[in-house]
Amino acid sequence: MAVSRDPADGPLSGLRVVDASTLFAGPMAAMHLGDLGAEVVKVEHPRRPDPSRGHGAARDGVNLWWKTLGRNKRTLTADLSSPGGRDVFLALATRADVVVENFRPGTLERWGLGYEELSTRNPGLVLARVSGFGQVGPYRARPGFGTLAEAMSGFAAMTGEPDGPPTLPPFGLGDGIASLATAFAVMVALRARDGHPERRGQVVDVAIIEPILAMLGPQITRWDQLRTVQPRTGNRSANNAPRNTYRTRDGHWVAVSTSAQSIAERVVRLVGRPDLADEPWFADGAQRARHADELDAAVGGWVGERDRDDVVAAFESAQAAVAPVYDASDIVADPQFRALGTIHEVEDPELGPMLMQGPLFRLSGDDAVIAFTGRPHGADTDAVLAELGYTPEQVAALRKAGAV
Protein backbone atom coordinates (compact mmCIF):
# COMPACT_ATOMS: atom_id res chain seq x y z
CA MET A 1 0.00 0.00 0.00
CA ALA A 2 1.61 3.26 -1.16
CA VAL A 3 2.49 6.05 1.24
CA SER A 4 3.00 9.76 0.79
CA ARG A 5 6.35 11.03 -0.43
CA ASP A 6 8.08 14.33 -1.10
CA PRO A 7 6.52 15.74 -4.33
CA ALA A 8 9.51 17.97 -5.13
CA ASP A 9 10.65 15.68 -7.95
CA GLY A 10 7.19 15.10 -9.44
CA PRO A 11 6.82 15.44 -13.22
CA LEU A 12 4.92 18.73 -12.82
CA SER A 13 7.28 20.10 -10.17
CA GLY A 14 7.72 23.84 -10.69
CA LEU A 15 4.24 24.30 -12.18
CA ARG A 16 2.25 26.83 -10.14
CA VAL A 17 -1.53 26.46 -10.02
CA VAL A 18 -4.10 28.71 -8.35
CA ASP A 19 -7.32 26.83 -7.60
CA ALA A 20 -10.13 29.36 -7.19
CA SER A 21 -12.89 26.86 -7.98
CA THR A 22 -15.46 24.96 -5.91
CA LEU A 23 -17.73 21.93 -6.18
CA PHE A 24 -16.23 19.67 -7.84
CA ALA A 25 -14.86 19.62 -11.40
CA GLY A 26 -12.42 22.51 -10.99
CA PRO A 27 -11.03 21.42 -7.61
CA MET A 28 -10.64 17.87 -8.87
CA ALA A 29 -8.72 19.06 -11.93
CA ALA A 30 -6.37 20.99 -9.66
CA MET A 31 -6.04 17.87 -7.49
CA HIS A 32 -4.90 15.84 -10.52
CA LEU A 33 -2.22 18.45 -11.26
CA GLY A 34 -1.15 18.53 -7.62
CA ASP A 35 -0.86 14.73 -7.54
CA LEU A 36 1.78 15.04 -10.25
CA GLY A 37 3.85 17.60 -8.37
CA ALA A 38 2.33 20.97 -9.26
CA GLU A 39 2.35 23.56 -6.48
CA VAL A 40 -1.34 24.26 -5.88
CA VAL A 41 -2.75 27.11 -3.80
CA LYS A 42 -6.44 26.80 -3.02
CA VAL A 43 -8.19 30.17 -2.72
CA GLU A 44 -11.42 30.25 -0.69
CA HIS A 45 -13.65 33.02 0.60
CA PRO A 46 -12.73 33.96 4.19
CA ARG A 47 -16.25 33.41 5.46
CA ARG A 48 -17.67 30.97 2.89
CA PRO A 49 -15.30 28.03 2.39
CA ASP A 50 -15.59 25.59 -0.50
CA PRO A 51 -18.94 23.82 0.12
CA SER A 52 -17.26 20.46 -0.49
CA ARG A 53 -15.84 20.80 3.02
CA GLY A 54 -19.34 20.06 4.26
CA HIS A 55 -20.32 17.34 1.79
CA GLY A 56 -20.61 13.67 2.67
CA ALA A 57 -19.40 11.74 5.65
CA ALA A 58 -17.40 13.12 8.55
CA ARG A 59 -15.45 11.63 11.44
CA ASP A 60 -15.33 13.52 14.72
CA GLY A 61 -16.66 16.54 12.87
CA VAL A 62 -13.88 16.42 10.27
CA ASN A 63 -15.10 16.13 6.67
CA LEU A 64 -13.63 13.16 4.80
CA TRP A 65 -14.34 14.15 1.20
CA TRP A 66 -12.25 17.28 1.58
CA LYS A 67 -9.29 15.20 2.75
CA THR A 68 -9.10 13.72 -0.76
CA LEU A 69 -10.31 16.66 -2.86
CA GLY A 70 -8.04 19.13 -1.04
CA ARG A 71 -4.93 16.97 -1.00
CA ASN A 72 -1.66 18.49 -2.19
CA LYS A 73 -3.11 22.00 -1.94
CA ARG A 74 -2.09 24.82 0.34
CA THR A 75 -5.09 26.84 1.46
CA LEU A 76 -5.43 30.61 1.43
CA THR A 77 -8.46 32.81 2.05
CA ALA A 78 -9.25 35.94 0.03
CA ASP A 79 -12.44 37.83 -0.76
CA LEU A 80 -11.90 38.49 -4.46
CA SER A 81 -14.69 41.03 -4.56
CA SER A 82 -12.81 43.28 -2.12
CA PRO A 83 -9.91 45.55 -3.13
CA GLY A 84 -7.47 43.81 -0.83
CA GLY A 85 -8.55 40.34 -1.89
CA ARG A 86 -8.36 41.35 -5.54
CA ASP A 87 -4.78 42.50 -5.04
CA VAL A 88 -3.88 39.21 -3.38
CA PHE A 89 -5.37 37.27 -6.28
CA LEU A 90 -3.54 39.41 -8.83
CA ALA A 91 -0.28 38.77 -7.01
CA LEU A 92 -0.94 35.03 -7.04
CA ALA A 93 -1.94 34.99 -10.72
CA THR A 94 1.07 37.06 -11.73
CA ARG A 95 3.47 34.34 -10.62
CA ALA A 96 1.24 31.38 -11.60
CA ASP A 97 1.21 29.19 -14.68
CA VAL A 98 -2.44 28.19 -14.31
CA VAL A 99 -5.57 29.59 -12.68
CA VAL A 100 -8.60 27.31 -12.36
CA GLU A 101 -11.93 29.04 -11.68
CA ASN A 102 -15.60 28.14 -11.91
CA PHE A 103 -17.48 31.32 -11.10
CA ARG A 104 -20.46 32.14 -13.27
CA PRO A 105 -19.30 33.68 -16.55
CA GLY A 106 -18.67 37.37 -16.16
CA THR A 107 -17.94 37.25 -12.42
CA LEU A 108 -14.16 37.60 -12.69
CA GLU A 109 -14.63 40.44 -15.16
CA ARG A 110 -16.95 42.22 -12.74
CA TRP A 111 -14.21 42.09 -10.11
CA GLY A 112 -11.57 43.34 -12.52
CA LEU A 113 -9.95 39.90 -12.69
CA GLY A 114 -10.84 38.80 -16.21
CA TYR A 115 -8.29 37.30 -18.56
CA GLU A 116 -7.52 40.65 -20.15
CA GLU A 117 -6.38 41.98 -16.77
CA LEU A 118 -4.62 38.79 -15.72
CA SER A 119 -2.77 38.28 -19.00
CA THR A 120 -1.61 41.89 -19.04
CA ARG A 121 0.30 41.12 -15.88
CA ASN A 122 1.17 37.54 -16.85
CA PRO A 123 1.09 36.90 -20.62
CA GLY A 124 1.93 33.22 -20.16
CA LEU A 125 -0.98 32.47 -17.84
CA VAL A 126 -3.42 29.68 -18.71
CA LEU A 127 -6.88 30.46 -17.32
CA ALA A 128 -9.04 27.33 -17.04
CA ARG A 129 -12.71 28.34 -16.83
CA VAL A 130 -15.00 25.51 -15.75
CA SER A 131 -18.74 26.12 -15.79
CA GLY A 132 -21.92 24.18 -16.27
CA PHE A 133 -22.71 25.50 -19.74
CA GLY A 134 -19.58 27.29 -20.98
CA GLN A 135 -18.66 30.93 -21.44
CA VAL A 136 -21.06 31.62 -24.33
CA GLY A 137 -24.63 30.78 -25.29
CA PRO A 138 -28.11 31.29 -23.85
CA TYR A 139 -27.47 29.13 -20.76
CA ARG A 140 -24.09 30.61 -19.82
CA ALA A 141 -25.42 32.43 -16.74
CA ARG A 142 -27.34 29.47 -15.33
CA PRO A 143 -26.01 27.70 -12.23
CA GLY A 144 -24.45 24.47 -13.43
CA PHE A 145 -23.64 21.21 -11.64
CA GLY A 146 -22.63 17.74 -12.73
CA THR A 147 -26.17 16.46 -12.18
CA LEU A 148 -27.44 18.80 -14.88
CA ALA A 149 -24.73 17.58 -17.23
CA GLU A 150 -25.67 13.97 -16.54
CA ALA A 151 -29.24 14.87 -17.49
CA MET A 152 -28.54 17.02 -20.56
CA SER A 153 -25.77 14.85 -22.04
CA GLY A 154 -28.09 11.90 -22.63
CA PHE A 155 -26.51 9.84 -19.84
CA ALA A 156 -29.61 9.73 -17.63
CA ALA A 157 -31.91 9.00 -20.57
CA MET A 158 -29.98 5.84 -21.46
CA THR A 159 -29.37 4.69 -17.86
CA GLY A 160 -31.81 2.59 -15.83
CA GLU A 161 -34.30 -0.18 -16.40
CA PRO A 162 -36.44 -0.10 -19.56
CA ASP A 163 -39.65 0.45 -17.61
CA GLY A 164 -38.07 2.75 -15.01
CA PRO A 165 -37.20 6.44 -14.88
CA PRO A 166 -34.02 8.02 -16.23
CA THR A 167 -31.32 7.32 -13.66
CA LEU A 168 -28.65 9.61 -12.23
CA PRO A 169 -25.39 8.29 -10.75
CA PRO A 170 -24.94 8.46 -6.95
CA PHE A 171 -21.69 10.42 -7.30
CA GLY A 172 -20.27 13.30 -9.33
CA LEU A 173 -19.75 11.50 -12.63
CA GLY A 174 -20.17 14.58 -14.83
CA ASP A 175 -17.85 16.59 -12.60
CA GLY A 176 -15.24 13.83 -12.54
CA ILE A 177 -15.16 13.49 -16.31
CA ALA A 178 -14.97 17.29 -16.65
CA SER A 179 -12.06 17.36 -14.22
CA LEU A 180 -10.08 15.01 -16.44
CA ALA A 181 -10.93 17.08 -19.51
CA THR A 182 -9.84 20.24 -17.69
CA ALA A 183 -6.51 18.80 -16.57
CA PHE A 184 -5.87 17.52 -20.09
CA ALA A 185 -6.83 20.86 -21.65
CA VAL A 186 -4.54 22.72 -19.24
CA MET A 187 -1.59 20.57 -20.24
CA VAL A 188 -2.39 21.10 -23.94
CA ALA A 189 -2.52 24.87 -23.38
CA LEU A 190 0.79 24.77 -21.52
CA ARG A 191 2.34 22.75 -24.34
CA ALA A 192 1.07 25.34 -26.82
CA ARG A 193 2.48 28.12 -24.65
CA ASP A 194 5.88 26.48 -24.52
CA GLY A 195 5.89 26.30 -28.31
CA HIS A 196 4.77 29.91 -28.79
CA PRO A 197 7.58 32.35 -29.62
CA GLU A 198 6.24 34.76 -26.98
CA ARG A 199 5.10 32.03 -24.53
CA ARG A 200 1.52 33.26 -24.69
CA GLY A 201 -1.07 31.58 -22.51
CA GLN A 202 -4.75 31.27 -23.35
CA VAL A 203 -8.20 30.60 -21.93
CA VAL A 204 -9.48 27.05 -21.53
CA ASP A 205 -13.30 26.91 -21.66
CA VAL A 206 -14.73 23.68 -20.21
CA ALA A 207 -18.52 23.29 -20.13
CA ILE A 208 -19.39 20.38 -17.86
CA ILE A 209 -22.16 19.30 -20.25
CA GLU A 210 -19.60 18.49 -22.98
CA PRO A 211 -16.95 16.03 -21.70
CA ILE A 212 -19.55 13.52 -20.47
CA LEU A 213 -21.32 13.79 -23.83
CA ALA A 214 -18.06 12.85 -25.52
CA MET A 215 -17.85 9.67 -23.42
CA LEU A 216 -21.29 8.33 -24.37
CA GLY A 217 -20.49 6.85 -27.74
CA PRO A 218 -22.02 7.65 -31.13
CA GLN A 219 -25.47 8.66 -29.89
CA ILE A 220 -25.42 11.91 -31.88
CA THR A 221 -24.29 10.17 -35.07
CA ARG A 222 -26.92 7.48 -34.51
CA TRP A 223 -29.64 10.13 -34.21
CA ASP A 224 -28.35 11.95 -37.27
CA GLN A 225 -28.19 8.87 -39.46
CA LEU A 226 -31.03 6.70 -38.15
CA ARG A 227 -33.28 9.03 -36.15
CA THR A 228 -33.20 6.59 -33.24
CA VAL A 229 -32.00 7.05 -29.66
CA GLN A 230 -30.32 4.53 -27.40
CA PRO A 231 -32.96 3.03 -25.09
CA ARG A 232 -32.58 2.18 -21.42
CA THR A 233 -31.57 -1.46 -21.09
CA GLY A 234 -30.64 -1.76 -17.41
CA ASN A 235 -27.48 -3.84 -17.02
CA ARG A 236 -27.93 -5.40 -20.42
CA SER A 237 -26.35 -4.26 -23.66
CA ALA A 238 -27.96 -3.91 -27.07
CA ASN A 239 -24.67 -5.07 -28.62
CA ASN A 240 -23.94 -8.36 -26.90
CA ALA A 241 -25.18 -10.94 -24.40
CA PRO A 242 -24.84 -12.35 -21.84
CA ARG A 243 -23.95 -9.06 -20.20
CA ASN A 244 -25.40 -8.54 -16.74
CA THR A 245 -24.84 -8.87 -13.01
CA TYR A 246 -25.65 -12.19 -11.38
CA ARG A 247 -26.16 -13.09 -7.72
CA THR A 248 -23.99 -15.85 -6.27
CA ARG A 249 -25.03 -18.48 -3.75
CA ASP A 250 -23.29 -16.66 -0.88
CA GLY A 251 -25.14 -13.39 -1.55
CA HIS A 252 -22.52 -11.55 -3.60
CA TRP A 253 -22.76 -10.32 -7.18
CA VAL A 254 -20.56 -10.76 -10.23
CA ALA A 255 -20.56 -8.95 -13.57
CA VAL A 256 -20.13 -10.83 -16.83
CA SER A 257 -19.18 -9.32 -20.19
CA THR A 258 -19.06 -11.06 -23.58
CA SER A 259 -18.07 -8.27 -25.95
CA ALA A 260 -15.89 -10.73 -27.87
CA GLN A 261 -17.45 -13.71 -29.66
CA SER A 262 -14.84 -16.11 -28.30
CA ILE A 263 -15.63 -15.04 -24.74
CA ALA A 264 -19.35 -15.60 -25.29
CA GLU A 265 -18.64 -19.13 -26.51
CA ARG A 266 -16.45 -19.87 -23.47
CA VAL A 267 -19.14 -18.62 -21.09
CA VAL A 268 -21.92 -20.83 -22.43
CA ARG A 269 -19.60 -23.85 -22.46
CA LEU A 270 -18.61 -23.08 -18.85
CA VAL A 271 -22.19 -22.89 -17.62
CA GLY A 272 -23.09 -26.20 -19.26
CA ARG A 273 -24.95 -24.87 -22.30
CA PRO A 274 -22.64 -25.47 -25.27
CA ASP A 275 -25.74 -26.02 -27.41
CA LEU A 276 -26.43 -22.28 -27.31
CA ALA A 277 -23.23 -21.62 -29.25
CA ASP A 278 -24.64 -23.70 -32.13
CA GLU A 279 -27.71 -21.49 -32.52
CA PRO A 280 -27.65 -19.44 -35.75
CA TRP A 281 -28.21 -16.23 -33.81
CA PHE A 282 -25.31 -16.80 -31.42
CA ALA A 283 -22.62 -15.72 -33.88
CA ASP A 284 -23.70 -12.08 -33.80
CA GLY A 285 -23.57 -9.90 -30.66
CA ALA A 286 -26.69 -7.90 -31.46
CA GLN A 287 -28.60 -11.12 -32.19
CA ARG A 288 -27.42 -12.58 -28.89
CA ALA A 289 -28.74 -9.46 -27.18
CA ARG A 290 -32.21 -10.29 -28.54
CA HIS A 291 -31.97 -13.63 -26.74
CA ALA A 292 -30.76 -12.13 -23.47
CA ASP A 293 -33.53 -13.75 -21.40
CA GLU A 294 -32.42 -17.24 -22.41
CA LEU A 295 -28.74 -16.45 -21.95
CA ASP A 296 -29.26 -14.73 -18.60
CA ALA A 297 -31.25 -17.72 -17.37
CA ALA A 298 -28.39 -20.07 -18.26
CA VAL A 299 -25.64 -17.94 -16.75
CA GLY A 300 -27.66 -16.74 -13.77
CA GLY A 301 -28.76 -20.26 -12.86
CA TRP A 302 -25.20 -21.57 -12.94
CA VAL A 303 -23.81 -18.62 -10.96
CA GLY A 304 -26.58 -18.87 -8.36
CA GLU A 305 -25.51 -22.39 -7.45
CA ARG A 306 -21.95 -21.36 -6.56
CA ASP A 307 -20.12 -19.03 -4.18
CA ARG A 308 -18.46 -15.89 -5.55
CA ASP A 309 -14.86 -17.06 -5.23
CA ASP A 310 -15.68 -20.33 -6.99
CA VAL A 311 -17.45 -18.47 -9.82
CA VAL A 312 -14.52 -16.12 -10.35
CA ALA A 313 -12.02 -19.01 -10.26
CA ALA A 314 -14.03 -21.01 -12.79
CA PHE A 315 -14.33 -18.07 -15.16
CA GLU A 316 -10.62 -17.36 -14.85
CA SER A 317 -9.77 -20.97 -15.62
CA ALA A 318 -12.05 -20.85 -18.67
CA GLN A 319 -10.53 -17.52 -19.78
CA ALA A 320 -13.95 -15.92 -19.66
CA ALA A 321 -14.54 -12.34 -18.52
CA VAL A 322 -15.99 -11.84 -15.04
CA ALA A 323 -15.49 -9.43 -12.15
CA PRO A 324 -16.88 -9.40 -8.62
CA VAL A 325 -19.07 -6.42 -7.80
CA TYR A 326 -17.04 -4.65 -5.13
CA ASP A 327 -17.71 -2.12 -2.43
CA ALA A 328 -14.96 -0.10 -0.73
CA SER A 329 -14.04 -2.88 1.72
CA ASP A 330 -13.46 -5.30 -1.15
CA ILE A 331 -11.34 -2.78 -3.09
CA VAL A 332 -9.00 -2.21 -0.14
CA ALA A 333 -8.46 -5.96 0.27
CA ASP A 334 -8.09 -6.88 -3.40
CA PRO A 335 -4.62 -8.11 -4.44
CA GLN A 336 -4.75 -6.49 -7.89
CA PHE A 337 -5.39 -3.03 -6.45
CA ARG A 338 -2.63 -3.70 -3.93
CA ALA A 339 -0.21 -4.68 -6.70
CA LEU A 340 -1.01 -1.50 -8.60
CA GLY A 341 -0.62 0.66 -5.51
CA THR A 342 -4.08 2.12 -6.12
CA ILE A 343 -4.87 2.75 -2.46
CA HIS A 344 -2.56 5.13 -0.62
CA GLU A 345 -2.11 5.42 3.12
CA VAL A 346 -1.51 9.04 4.09
CA GLU A 347 -0.86 10.56 7.51
CA ASP A 348 -3.45 13.21 8.37
CA PRO A 349 -2.73 15.69 11.20
CA GLU A 350 -6.32 15.61 12.42
CA LEU A 351 -7.36 11.98 11.98
CA GLY A 352 -4.10 10.05 11.78
CA PRO A 353 -3.39 7.45 9.06
CA MET A 354 -6.08 7.32 6.38
CA LEU A 355 -6.63 5.47 3.13
CA MET A 356 -7.65 7.09 -0.14
CA GLN A 357 -7.50 6.27 -3.83
CA GLY A 358 -4.30 7.53 -5.37
CA PRO A 359 -3.45 9.27 -8.64
CA LEU A 360 -4.92 8.01 -11.89
CA PHE A 361 -1.91 6.28 -13.40
CA ARG A 362 1.74 5.37 -13.00
CA LEU A 363 4.77 6.66 -14.91
CA SER A 364 7.90 4.57 -15.25
CA GLY A 365 10.18 7.50 -14.48
CA ASP A 366 8.14 9.73 -12.17
CA ASP A 367 5.85 8.90 -9.28
CA ALA A 368 2.65 10.82 -8.62
CA VAL A 369 2.39 11.44 -4.91
CA ILE A 370 0.06 12.49 -2.14
CA ALA A 371 2.20 14.83 -0.08
CA PHE A 372 -0.55 15.76 2.38
CA THR A 373 -4.30 15.55 2.82
CA GLY A 374 -6.80 18.39 2.54
CA ARG A 375 -5.80 21.17 4.92
CA PRO A 376 -7.99 23.35 7.15
CA HIS A 377 -9.65 26.44 5.74
CA GLY A 378 -7.05 29.20 5.34
CA ALA A 379 -4.29 27.20 7.00
CA ASP A 380 -1.56 28.63 4.75
CA THR A 381 -2.81 32.19 4.31
CA ASP A 382 -0.03 33.87 6.28
CA ALA A 383 2.72 31.74 4.71
CA VAL A 384 1.53 32.28 1.12
CA LEU A 385 1.06 36.02 1.65
CA ALA A 386 4.57 36.25 3.07
CA GLU A 387 5.89 34.55 -0.07
CA LEU A 388 4.05 37.18 -2.12
CA GLY A 389 5.87 39.92 -0.20
CA TYR A 390 3.21 40.96 2.31
CA THR A 391 4.47 42.06 5.72
CA PRO A 392 2.81 40.85 8.92
CA GLU A 393 1.34 44.34 9.35
CA GLN A 394 -0.17 44.25 5.86
CA VAL A 395 -1.63 40.81 6.48
CA ALA A 396 -3.15 42.03 9.74
CA ALA A 397 -4.71 44.97 7.90
CA LEU A 398 -6.15 42.70 5.23
CA ARG A 399 -7.59 40.41 7.86
CA LYS A 400 -9.10 43.34 9.77
CA ALA A 401 -10.78 44.53 6.54
CA GLY A 402 -12.18 41.04 5.88
CA ALA A 403 -10.18 40.73 2.66
CA VAL A 404 -8.44 37.54 3.83
Side-chain angles (χ1 to χ4, degrees):
M1 200 168 289
V3 298
S4 59
R5 294 181 294 271
D6 185 351
D9 296 326
L12 295 185
S13 177
L15 187 72
R16 289 176 168 174
V17 178
V18 177
D19 175 13
S21 59
T22 60
L23 282 180
F24 286 98
M28 197 176 296
M31 181 198 77
H32 296 318
L33 299 174
D35 284 349
L36 292 163
E39 176 192 326
V40 183
V41 175
K42 170 78 174 181
V43 179
E44 299 173 82
H45 193 281
R47 294 165 293 282
R48 296 189 299 275
D50 187 330
S52 65
R53 290 181 179 272
H55 269 60
R59 175 187 160 200
D60 299 334
V62 178
N63 180 264
L64 299 179
W65 200 337
W66 173 253
K67 291 299 181 182
T68 297
L69 189 64
R71 70 191 189 198
N72 293 332
K73 302 177 185 181
R74 294 197 292 167
T75 60
L76 172 144
T77 59
D79 179 357
L80 306 191
S81 66
S82 71
R86 176 181 179 273
D87 289 344
V88 167
F89 190 78
L90 284 172
L92 279 171
T94 297
R95 70 167 197 161
D97 297 286
V98 181
V99 169
V100 182
E101 65 94 7
N102 70 335
F103 298 103
R104 291 197 200 183
T107 301
L108 281 186
E109 286 75 10
R110 189 170 69 249
W111 293 336
L113 294 170
Y115 191 66
E116 183 176 352
E117 176 68 30
L118 298 178
S119 62
T120 297
R121 294 170 178 253
N122 182 359
L125 181 70
V126 171
L127 176 62
R129 315 196 76 166
V130 186
S131 62
F133 303 100
Q135 299 298 309
V136 299
Y139 304 160
R140 65 188 292 269
R142 290 184 181 179
F145 299 99
T147 297
L148 309 187
E150 290 146 14
M152 288 184 64
S153 64
F155 173 85
M158 65 174 67
T159 304
E161 295 299 325
D163 57 351
T167 301
L168 297 168
F171 65 100
L173 177 64
D175 284 304
I177 295 174
S179 79
L180 296 173
T182 302
F184 173 52
V186 162
M187 298 310 299
V188 170
L190 290 171
R191 169 70 169 167
R193 181 192 71 175
D194 292 344
H196 193 284
E198 299 177 2
R199 282 182 57 84
R200 299 290 302 185
Q202 59 184 297
V203 175
V204 169
D205 178 8
V206 177
I208 300 175
I209 57 174
E210 289 185 300
I212 185 173
L213 173 60
M215 297 296 105
L216 295 179
Q219 60 166 328
I220 301 302
T221 306
R222 172 177 173 166
W223 167 251
D224 173 62
Q225 297 296 309
L226 302 175
R227 285 298 188 266
T228 63
V229 298
Q230 182 171 329
R232 290 191 290 280
T233 57
N235 288 330
R236 289 177 171 177
S237 168
N239 301 310
N240 64 80
R243 192 264 197 182
N244 213 327
T245 56
Y246 306 94
R247 190 178 180 90
T248 61
R249 181 172 59 188
D250 53 353
H252 295 288
W253 292 84
V254 296
V256 172
S257 175
T258 56
S259 296
Q261 178 69 22
S262 59
I263 298 294
E265 293 172 3
R266 291 170 193 164
V267 168
V268 294
R269 286 198 297 267
L270 173 64
V271 302
R273 292 295 308 275
D275 56 296
L276 291 172
D278 296 328
E279 295 288 347
W281 47 263
F282 194 86
D284 178 77
Q287 294 244 18
R288 292 201 308 273
R290 297 188 186 102
H291 293 79
D293 287 344
E294 185 176 359
L295 291 166
D296 276 347
V299 176
W302 184 91
V303 168
E305 295 173 350
R306 292 161 176 81
D307 292 343
R308 180 181 68 179
D309 290 349
D310 294 332
V311 170
V312 172
F315 267 74
E316 183 175 1
S317 178
Q319 298 185 51
V322 70
V325 177
Y326 276 173
D327 61 22
S329 64
D330 298 308
I331 294 168
V332 169
D334 183 83
Q336 181 62 32
F337 284 120
R338 286 180 178 270
L340 292 171
T342 304
I343 308 302
H344 288 224
E345 182 178 274
V346 191
E347 186 69 29
D348 179 74
E350 295 178 280
L351 298 176
M354 63 169 48
L355 301 181
M356 62 180 63
Q357 60 268 44
L360 298 169
F361 50 81
R362 288 154 299 283
L363 298 173
S364 62
D366 295 282
D367 281 333
V369 304
I370 302 175
F372 49 87
T373 57
R375 290 174 56 71
H377 180 233
D380 303 291
T381 298
D382 288 6
V384 173
L385 289 177
E387 292 169 12
L388 294 174
Y390 284 81
T391 67
E393 293 76 19
Q394 289 173 318
V395 174
L398 288 170
R399 190 164 277 122
K400 182 177 181 181
V404 300

